[in-house]
Each structure stands twice: as C-alpha cells, then as structure tokens.
Amino acid sequence: MKKILNSITKVRFQDCDPFNHLNNSKYIDYFINAREDQLLENYNLNIFKMANEEGLSWVVSSNQICYLSPAFIMESVLIDSQLIAYTSKSLMVELRMWDEAQSKLKSILWTSFVHYNLKTQRPENHSAQLSKLFEDVILPVEQPTFEDRRNYLIKQRNAH
C-alpha cells in the first residue's frame, strides 16, 4: 500500500492574487482537496460517505504552513501527502506542493486532525479498521518539529 500519495492539479485564476500567485489562504484548500481525492483513490476511504452514514469524520485542530516559492496562475502543481503520526483520536499529515516535475518545492503543510463524532459532538476513537490502515500507511519523518522539518526540506532542496 502506498505511503506517499500524490496528485496533480492546476492553479486557477480565481484563487490567485494580483501578482498571479496562488493566494496564501488558498494553499490550504488545495492541500485538503488533494488529500481528500488521494484518500478515496488510493485507500477507498470516502470521508464524506463516512460522515453521512456513520456520523464520523475529522476536524482540523491545527495547521502549520510555510511558503517557499510561489505557485502561479494556470500552473500544474503536484501535491503529495503522507500520514506522519497518529493516536487513537488524531492524525498528523504532512503535505507538500511542488512544481509538476517535483523539482521545486513550493509549500509545506502539517495538519492535525481530530477524529470526531458528529452526533455527540465529541472526539471519538478510531475504529480497529482505521487504526489498521494507519498502521499500514504511516511514514514518520525524522524531524520532531515543523521548523526542523522545514529547514531539512530547504537544505535538501538547495542541495540539488
């Protein structure tokens, strides 16, 4: 089972600022949309069906993002993602935005999600089936903090 998921999307006009760059606030939309599509395509995990049928989903509890290089209007970008940590009630996902050739890193996002019961409005433990999936696909990173990870990826980028 793949641990790093990726997909390509195009930066749209309505999401750009007057400099023809993807607006800072839109990066998160692009990341989250890509991750949702990747989960469905690669793990057959339909989070919307799960929310509707089981009343369970995930809510974002925090985001850490850095912008390294602009994404331009109508540019095709590659977004990759991986589960880097999980607990009985939470997930931590790293997402990276690259140029289409995956040679220029544009942005990095760490998002924390809490598994949430929509009926009780309270955090919920992951099912055994979800925990098994997470165990199979987790790919931790060596850097313990977002800042350390950012610095590591920047050094890797500059080394090439």
Side-chain angles (χ1 to χ4, degrees):
M1 196 172 289
K2 289 171 53 174
K3 295 185 179 200
I4 298 176
L5 309 180
N6 63 62
S7 53
I8 295 175
T9 192
K10 191 172 292 288
V11 175
R12 299 296 175 184
F13 170 79
Q14 69 269 11
D15 299 327
C16 292
D17 62 21
F19 304 107
N20 292 325
H21 302 153
L22 183 60
N23 188 295
N24 290 357
S25 67
K26 290 295 187 175
Y27 278 80
I28 294 173
D29 292 342
Y30 278 68
F31 280 128
I32 296 300
N33 289 337
R35 182 68 179 174
E36 290 169 1
D37 293 345
Q38 293 165 1
L39 291 174
L40 183 57
E41 181 178 322
N42 292 275
Y43 304 147
N44 198 31
L45 183 57
N46 185 331
I47 61 173
F48 299 106
K49 182 178 179 183
M50 187 176 167
N52 288 332
E53 293 180 2
E54 300 174 40
L56 298 170
S57 193
W58 289 268
V59 295
V60 174
S61 61
S62 70
N63 286 313
Q64 290 179 279
I65 191 168
C66 67
Y67 308 97
L68 303 172
S69 179
F72 292 99
I73 191 169
M74 296 308 290
E75 178 181 8
S76 291
V77 293
L78 184 141
I79 296 174
D80 63 13
S81 68
Q82 69 194 66
L83 178 66
I84 60 173
Y86 73 95
T87 70
S88 62
K89 293 182 181 176
S90 68
L91 304 172
M92 173 73 79
V93 178
E94 178 176 283
L95 301 104
R96 297 166 299 271
M97 182 182 290
W98 303 83
D99 65 336
E100 189 173 8
Q102 207 169 357
S103 61
K104 186 170 197 154
L105 186 60
K106 295 178 173 289
S107 182
I108 308 159
L109 173 68
W110 275 14
T111 298
S112 296
F113 298 92
V114 173
H115 195 49
Y116 199 73
N117 186 313
L118 300 169
K119 297 170 190 165
T120 65
Q121 298 287 293
R122 308 226 8 114
E124 177 100 4
N125 283 330
H126 292 120
S127 68
Q129 182 180 5
L130 287 172
S131 294
K132 173 70 170 111
L133 172 64
F134 303 151
E135 182 182 316
D136 290 345
V137 302
I138 189 169
L139 185 58
V141 295
E142 292 181 19
Q143 300 74 30
T145 68
F146 181 77
E147 291 76 18
D148 290 342
R149 181 68 171 163
R150 179 195 64 216
N151 293 339
Y152 169 80
L153 290 171
I154 288 171
K155 284 180 188 170
Q156 292 294 106
R157 180 181 74 161
N158 292 337
H160 291 104

